[in-house]
Amino acid sequence: MSLSPCCNLCGSSQGLLRCAACKVTPYCTRIHQILDREKHASLCKAVKRASSVVERGEQALRDEPGDGVFNPANPFETSVGHFWEILSTRDYMRTRFALVEATLKLKSFDAVKSAADHIRDMLRLCRSDNMGLRDMLPALYLRLGRDQDAYDFIKWFETTGHESDYDWGDMELPYLDVVNADVFESPSYLCGIYHNVAFLVNVALLKIRLLLDLVALLNAGCLRPKLPQELLDRVKYFIPSTEPVRKNREVMSMVKYTDLIVKLSSQVDELFSAVDKQNKYFWPALLNPGAHLTARISAYSTGSREDMQLKLQYCYDSWIETPGSIDFIRTMSGTKK
């Protein structure tokens, strides 16, 4: 259900070496790197160029003497959390986002991890997130198999970060400090009219991933009469693809999964309806993305077609990398008609 480090040509996970230029594309042998060079070259050069621009921009900001009024000296030391308030940092933040976009076109595990790390650090530099980066990160975490991190991130923004009196300028306040939130809990707190459709979509996918794992564990129960319990437990350990299921001892020790499957199915249904209310274009576009994935969005309003296109572009890869998830939505869409 998630990406894993592997050769960009053959998919092998053995003896990986990374491209020295982009640093995020692995190959199992030098020969495979050469064979893939023509396909890889243009994307690789784009990442290398973008990285150079970011490095020069960062050094310029670190060398900034400051004017004592609008532009502080070295904002990386003096203005962490407030970057967008400082005009001289905005070009740097834009070029770093351009690096994220270029890196994600490579689609490798390392590329997604690099992009996620950049976004998380950009949020550290600018807590108020004037660029809307929060909408991107959960899907990247899901692609990396970091389902718990995705949920913790969303939970913070939709609880503490959703409070009207939270002071984004106060660096002493807790920030993204939710850890190991209950991924099986009700999503009702997310489903209000003013909540983020990007978060709803990502939690829907996360719940579907959990549900698919539970169904697989339920199906493994047919082995119970044929295998000793100790061997069955070992087999079951390798079935879930999500860590929240695999590391949950209570779930893994269950004999009957029906009640939990029914509970999660109901939650997915609630999330499906909430997404549809927030943006009626999203589910149909997920099933038939077409040109939506390459549309260029300069401006959008909540609930608009352009809003859908932006959110779809952020999360589509996480859906196609989860086998069965889009078919799940296709079935639900047919049922709802």
Side-chain angles (χ1 to χ4, degrees):
M1 284 192 189
S2 304
L3 293 171
S4 58
C6 63
C7 175
N8 201 48
L9 186 67
C10 71
S12 171
S13 60
Q14 304 299 313
L16 297 177
L17 299 172
R18 281 155 187 80
C19 171
C22 68
K23 298 181 173 61
V24 294
T25 305
Y27 294 97
C28 62
T29 64
R30 173 69 174 161
I31 293 174
H32 280 194
Q33 182 177 14
I34 293 171
L35 291 173
D36 195 47
R37 182 172 291 163
E38 184 177 353
K39 179 181 177 183
H40 176 65
S42 61
L43 298 177
C44 178
K45 289 177 181 177
V47 171
K48 188 176 180 180
R49 284 194 300 268
S51 296
S52 296
V53 173
V54 170
E55 289 170 6
R56 291 196 298 270
E58 179 172 339
Q59 191 59 55
L61 288 174
R62 290 189 181 277
D63 294 340
E64 172 66 52
D67 57 17
V69 183
F70 299 107
N71 296 306
N74 189 359
F76 287 97
E77 298 293 335
T78 61
S79 304
V80 170
H82 301 282
F83 260 44
W84 202 257
E85 300 168 23
I86 305 164
L87 291 179
S88 61
T89 67
R90 294 188 180 182
D91 282 345
Y92 166 79
M93 295 292 277
R94 293 188 185 103
T95 57
R96 197 164 176 185
F97 182 72
L99 173 58
V100 167
E101 290 188 307
T103 301
L104 285 173
K105 290 179 181 178
L106 291 170
K107 295 188 179 293
S108 68
F109 175 91
D110 293 72
V112 174
K113 183 180 184 303
S114 176
D117 290 344
H118 276 296
I119 290 173
R120 183 64 181 84
D121 191 57
M122 291 169 73
L123 289 170
R124 178 185 68 88
L125 295 173
C126 182
R127 281 194 179 188
S128 56
D129 186 24
N130 300 74
M131 299 178 73
L133 301 175
R134 71 188 71 179
D135 292 348
M136 296 183 70
L137 193 53
L140 299 182
Y141 280 158
L142 291 174
R143 296 181 68 189
L144 295 169
R146 296 169 59 179
D147 299 62
Q148 185 65 60
D149 288 339
Y151 190 70
D152 290 343
F153 181 88
I154 291 170
K155 178 87 184 242
W156 187 89
F157 268 108
E158 291 292 77
T159 52
T160 303
H162 206 257
E163 294 171 359
S164 59
D165 60 349
Y166 183 80
D167 185 355
W168 295 92
D170 185 351
M171 295 299 104
E172 300 301 316
L173 290 178
Y175 181 64
L176 295 177
D177 61 340
V178 172
V179 178
N180 292 327
D182 181 9
V183 297
F184 295 97
E185 69 184 347
S186 168
S188 295
Y189 72 95
L190 293 164
C191 297
I193 191 169
Y194 296 114
H195 287 272
N196 188 330
V197 71
F199 289 167
L200 288 169
V201 167
N202 280 289
V203 174
L205 177 56
L206 189 155
K207 298 280 188 179
I208 290 171
R209 288 158 69 101
L210 299 177
L211 192 53
L212 293 172
D213 274 352
L214 293 177
V215 170
L217 288 169
L218 176 67
N219 292 336
C222 66
L223 300 173
R224 189 173 305 280
K226 304 175 183 178
L227 295 177
Q229 186 62 44
E230 182 179 354
L231 184 55
L232 179 61
D233 290 341
R234 291 181 184 178
V235 170
K236 285 176 61 178
Y237 178 80
F238 292 100
I239 291 176
S241 61
T242 59
E243 284 199 349
V245 171
R246 188 168 58 251
K247 291 186 175 181
N248 189 313
R249 292 183 179 180
E250 181 181 354
V251 171
M252 291 299 291
S253 63
M254 286 181 176
V255 175
K256 295 182 179 180
Y257 290 93
T258 306
D259 290 346
L260 190 52
I261 288 173
V262 169
K263 174 183 174 180
L264 277 174
S265 297
S266 176
Q267 292 178 6
V268 172
D269 190 69
E270 182 179 5
L271 289 160
F272 181 94
S273 297
V275 170
D276 199 46
K277 289 177 182 177
Q278 293 276 16
N279 193 308
K280 65 182 181 180
Y281 303 106
F282 188 84
W283 293 129
L286 178 69
L287 300 179
N288 297 286
H292 295 309
L293 295 176
T294 54
R296 303 303 298 175
I297 301 99
S298 57
Y300 67 92
S301 58
T302 300
S304 66
R305 189 182 301 273
E306 293 76 18
D307 181 27
M308 170 275 292
Q309 290 172 333
L310 185 64
K311 306 302 166 51
L312 183 68
Q313 289 172 21
Y314 286 166
C315 75
Y316 186 70
D317 283 338
S318 63
W319 284 84
I320 61 173
E321 289 164 5
T322 303
S325 62
I326 293 180
D327 287 339
F328 195 102
I329 294 299
R330 182 171 286 107
T331 299
M332 291 193 72
S333 297
T335 303
K336 296 292 182 181
K337 290 180 180 178

